[in-house]
Amino acid sequence: MAESASGSVKYILSTIKSSFLPALLFAGGMVVFFAQNPYIPEVTFTFHTAFYILAFLGVTLLCIVNRSKPFFSLITGIVSYIFLNWSKNKYGTDYQSCTEYLWICFALPLNLLLFYYLDPHKLQSKIGFWLSVFLLGQLFFIQHCGNIIRQIPYLNLNFGNMPMIAAALWFLIFMPVAIDISIKNTRLNTGLFYADACLFMGLMYSGNVSAVTTFFLCFALILFATTLTDLYHQYNYDILENVGSYNSYLNHANSRFPYKYTIGLFSIDNRDKLLKILGSRKMQELEQMLVNRIRDFPYDISVYRYLNPEELIMVFKNEDAKHTMEYADNIRHVIAASEFFFTNGKSIKITISASVSEKTRLDLNATSVTTRAHNALQKAYRFNCNIVTKA
């Protein structure tokens, strides 16, 4: 019971941490708009220019790092901003009934929902290509068949400056996203949620120039800041929450580890076969359960991901190879006797193999320690599984 409560508290704190920056930027936009509206023309123009600068920097950054998930949300937001301003300039006060604006109100949330649940694939991929075709196809459809949207009933009932039906659609889309974040949050997902909320506010107050520039600027700012923090987090942490990356392991070895330490490089036996059976998401869930189980041992173990994504590093500080062999063998026995339950209620039994490597005076850095352990583990796998070997 106590462990469950502790896990819940940790998750709540993790959610607050990942939500803090985008929530702060969103709240800041709300405060600035409601406190200073209407802006003087110079401020509006500054926000307008800042949006395009941030959007350009964001698109450039996402192209460089080859990230598709936030890229398409940012592109959709930029296109919506251009269409919104174009509609207001062309139709004046009647822009709310124009085809382009109506499509923004209805199509934008559906696209954002798709991009939210998009797996973080590389931008330069087949999926990225077909998503680009999908967006261009929408623009072509709106241009040639846009008037079909006028057949939606009750478009004259408004919620702010958008149709009431469109506002209901936005709220329906926010619900599953909010539930998803409450179950499994990431920095990128929470950033997308608050960025989408900014677009909603921008459309709801679209008749106000100050609102449009403020909330679309916050949208671009949130996505840009979220991308930077997510890249920094990925550099230092693995996809497993609180598991350090290999870069983090090397940095900690130089700055935090004592002079004497031993590592245990381990991996799940027959992982490739399990991956084909379980799929990537369940395999990640299994590894998370495995890491949490290892942390339950009273050995003060720090866990990192090795360069090879199949292998993880256990660091035993102030321990020699002899004692670490005993600890690793005990972990191996307990894991083999344990049963791991997935969130859908199904369970699985696994075994692990490990290779123990102690840092010696001949090791110039932590890389040689892990390389020695990796070679020993790969050599051991040629003959057997469910073993602990010494490098």
Side-chain angles (χ1 to χ4, degrees):
M1 189 72 175
E3 292 181 0
S4 177
S6 176
S8 299
V9 171
K10 288 181 179 179
Y11 183 79
I12 292 173
L13 292 176
S14 174
T15 304
I16 294 174
K17 183 178 179 181
S18 63
S19 304
F20 179 76
L21 180 59
L24 181 65
L25 293 173
F26 175 72
M30 296 276 285
V31 170
V32 169
F33 169 65
F34 287 109
Q36 300 297 325
N37 177 56
Y39 306 153
I40 60 176
E42 290 79 7
V43 172
T44 301
F45 180 75
T46 300
F47 282 9
H48 177 77
T49 305
F51 168 79
Y52 281 113
I53 292 174
L54 272 176
F56 173 77
L57 292 175
V59 169
T60 303
L61 175 64
L62 290 167
C63 288
I64 292 174
V65 299
N66 207 11
R67 301 286 298 279
S68 66
K69 186 169 183 176
F71 174 83
F72 289 104
S73 291
L74 184 56
I75 288 294
T76 306
I78 295 171
V79 172
S80 299
Y81 186 73
I82 294 172
F83 265 86
L84 176 59
N85 284 289
W86 178 83
S87 300
K88 293 179 70 174
N89 290 331
K90 182 177 181 180
Y91 299 102
T93 56
D94 296 328
Y95 78 94
Q96 295 177 28
S97 60
C98 76
T99 299
E100 292 79 9
Y101 178 70
L102 292 175
W103 274 111
I104 293 173
C105 292
F106 284 94
L108 180 57
L110 295 173
N111 280 283
L112 295 175
L113 181 66
L114 168 65
F115 302 141
Y116 174 86
Y117 285 103
L118 182 70
D119 288 332
H121 295 289
K122 292 182 178 180
L123 177 61
Q124 300 173 9
S125 63
K126 289 183 179 180
I127 294 178
F129 171 78
W130 288 114
L131 281 173
S132 300
V133 172
F134 174 69
L135 289 177
L136 292 174
Q138 289 185 63
L139 295 176
F140 180 83
F141 177 83
I142 293 171
Q143 182 181 0
H144 291 84
C145 307
N147 287 329
I148 194 174
I149 199 169
R150 296 180 182 275
Q151 298 179 14
I152 299 177
Y154 306 111
L155 287 177
N156 58 329
L157 298 177
N158 286 349
F159 183 83
N161 293 121
M162 72 166 66
M164 181 72 73
I165 301 175
L169 177 63
W170 277 87
F171 286 117
L172 286 174
I173 285 173
F174 279 134
M175 286 176 59
V177 173
I179 293 172
D180 183 71
I181 291 174
S182 67
I183 296 174
K184 184 181 179 182
N185 76 86
T186 65
R187 285 168 173 78
L188 189 56
N189 283 352
T190 53
L192 288 171
F193 174 79
Y194 285 102
D196 296 350
C198 287
L199 293 182
F200 171 75
M201 294 296 295
L203 291 179
M204 189 175 72
Y205 290 100
S206 59
N208 189 310
V209 178
S210 301
V212 173
T213 55
T214 299
F215 290 114
F216 273 81
L217 174 60
C218 287
F219 159 79
L221 186 59
I222 288 173
L223 279 188
F224 185 75
T226 299
T227 300
L228 288 178
T229 55
D230 186 57
L231 289 172
Y232 174 81
H233 185 264
Q234 286 197 3
Y235 180 81
N236 290 283
Y237 295 92
D238 189 72
I239 53 175
L240 300 176
E241 187 63 30
N242 294 325
V243 175
S245 66
Y246 189 65
N247 293 315
S248 181
Y249 160 76
L250 296 177
N251 291 333
H252 291 174
N254 293 328
S255 59
R256 299 186 185 182
F257 293 174
Y259 179 78
K260 181 180 180 181
Y261 67 87
T262 306
I263 70 164
L265 193 70
F266 71 98
S267 66
I268 299 174
D269 294 331
N270 300 313
R271 187 181 184 279
D272 291 338
K273 293 181 180 179
L274 282 175
L275 181 60
K276 292 180 180 179
I277 297 172
L278 299 176
S280 57
R281 290 194 176 184
K282 281 194 175 181
M283 177 56 72
Q284 180 181 338
E285 185 181 350
L286 176 60
E287 289 184 336
Q288 288 174 337
M289 291 188 289
L290 174 60
V291 169
N292 291 334
R293 185 68 187 87
I294 288 175
R295 284 181 174 143
D296 289 338
F297 287 88
Y299 302 143
D300 189 25
I301 304 173
S302 298
V303 184
Y304 301 87
R305 174 74 75 180
Y306 183 55
L307 279 174
N308 185 341
E310 299 177 355
E311 299 171 2
L312 292 157
I313 304 169
M314 296 182 290
V315 178
F316 298 84
K317 301 173 185 176
N318 295 311
E319 295 289 353
D320 57 20
K322 179 181 178 182
H323 288 97
T324 301
M325 284 283 292
E326 296 175 1
Y327 299 152
D329 201 48
N330 183 34
I331 292 172
R332 178 183 66 83
H333 280 293
V334 173
I335 295 300
S338 300
E339 197 167 3
F340 295 89
F341 290 87
F342 294 102
T343 52
N344 61 5
K346 295 184 179 180
S347 64
I348 190 172
K349 294 179 72 69
I350 61 171
T351 60
I352 64 171
S353 294
S355 174
V356 172
S357 177
E358 180 181 353
K359 184 182 182 301
T360 66
R361 294 180 179 179
L362 298 177
D363 293 314
L364 299 177
N365 51 51
T367 303
S368 57
V369 183
T370 50
T371 302
R372 189 166 59 247
H374 169 74
N375 293 336
L377 183 60
Q378 294 302 312
K379 184 178 180 180
Y381 266 138
R382 298 175 186 174
F383 304 101
N384 206 346
C385 293
N386 192 21
I387 58 172
V388 175
T389 184
K390 183 179 178 182

